[in-house]
Amino acid sequence: MNICFYNTVIGKIGIAETGGSITNVYFEKDILPQNATEGETTLLVEASQQLDWFLMGKLKQFTLPLAPAGTPFMKQVWAQLCDIPYGQTATYKDVAIKMGNGKASRAIGLANNRNPIPVFIPCHRVIGSNGTLTGYRGGLGVKKRLLDIERKQDNDFF
């Protein structure tokens, strides 16, 4: 696993690649795996550039090869998260209903929490059923900032 750290408007972010795909994103407080080798690759440079464009509101959808490790159910949830449109949010129940099981909100929340590639897989777009922001590995301040960036940029196009 190659990892490189980049300073962004949401803090220092580590992006990791294995075998030609993005596999992980790390926030400053995250513990890094022991098998991580620090070094920049062509893919990590591209991921960093796309992340910068996204955070500036110039990119709404990433075009990177992603390979998150998880169970088949988790991968299904993460695929659903990628279908939540830029600048919009969905509740855990919304995602559960979209997946065909409206009672799976807690399982959706657990999979959302274990997303190894936050931002690129937009788990920040999932909120509580009462509209409140719920947990985020990067912290609720980062989640709010990501949502604000998307809402501001989405509104600028109208």
Side-chain angles (χ1 to χ4, degrees):
M1 169 188 291
N2 284 338
I3 186 168
C4 196
F5 291 89
Y6 302 94
N7 291 314
T8 74
V9 297
I10 59 169
K12 192 173 184 179
I13 301 290
I15 306 173
E17 157 192 8
T18 302
S21 293
I22 302 299
T23 57
N24 298 83
V25 165
Y26 297 97
F27 295 101
E28 287 186 71
K29 64 180 177 152
D30 289 337
I31 297 170
L32 300 178
Q34 292 182 354
N35 67 336
T37 303
E38 195 163 345
E40 205 166 46
T41 66
T42 303
L43 179 59
L44 293 176
V45 170
E46 176 64 23
S48 168
Q49 185 62 63
Q50 286 191 29
L51 179 60
D52 281 344
W53 290 336
F54 177 81
L55 295 172
M56 289 187 284
K58 296 180 180 183
L59 180 75
K60 291 186 175 188
Q61 189 169 357
F62 296 103
T63 57
L64 298 164
L66 303 178
T71 66
F73 176 78
M74 288 175 172
K75 290 178 182 182
Q76 204 176 11
V77 170
W78 300 332
Q80 285 295 319
L81 300 182
C82 291
D83 288 341
I84 302 170
Y86 180 94
Q88 296 182 27
T89 57
T91 66
Y92 296 100
K93 186 170 185 168
D94 293 337
V95 176
I97 289 169
K98 182 104 173 172
M99 291 181 63
N101 184 355
K103 296 182 181 189
S105 296
R106 287 180 190 240
I108 301 298
L110 183 61
N112 196 54
N113 183 314
R114 294 196 177 156
N115 172 13
I117 316 175
V119 184
F120 295 102
I121 296 175
C123 56
H124 61 276
R125 295 179 187 154
V126 182
I127 60 173
S129 59
N130 61 359
T132 59
L133 298 186
T134 55
Y136 189 69
R137 198 173 87 216
L140 289 181
V142 171
K143 183 172 187 166
K144 182 180 182 326
R145 184 100 189 253
L146 290 168
L147 292 172
D148 288 346
I149 287 167
E150 289 188 21
R151 288 183 181 134
K152 180 186 180 314
Q153 296 305 322
D154 200 41
N155 291 333
D156 286 350
F157 291 105
F158 296 102

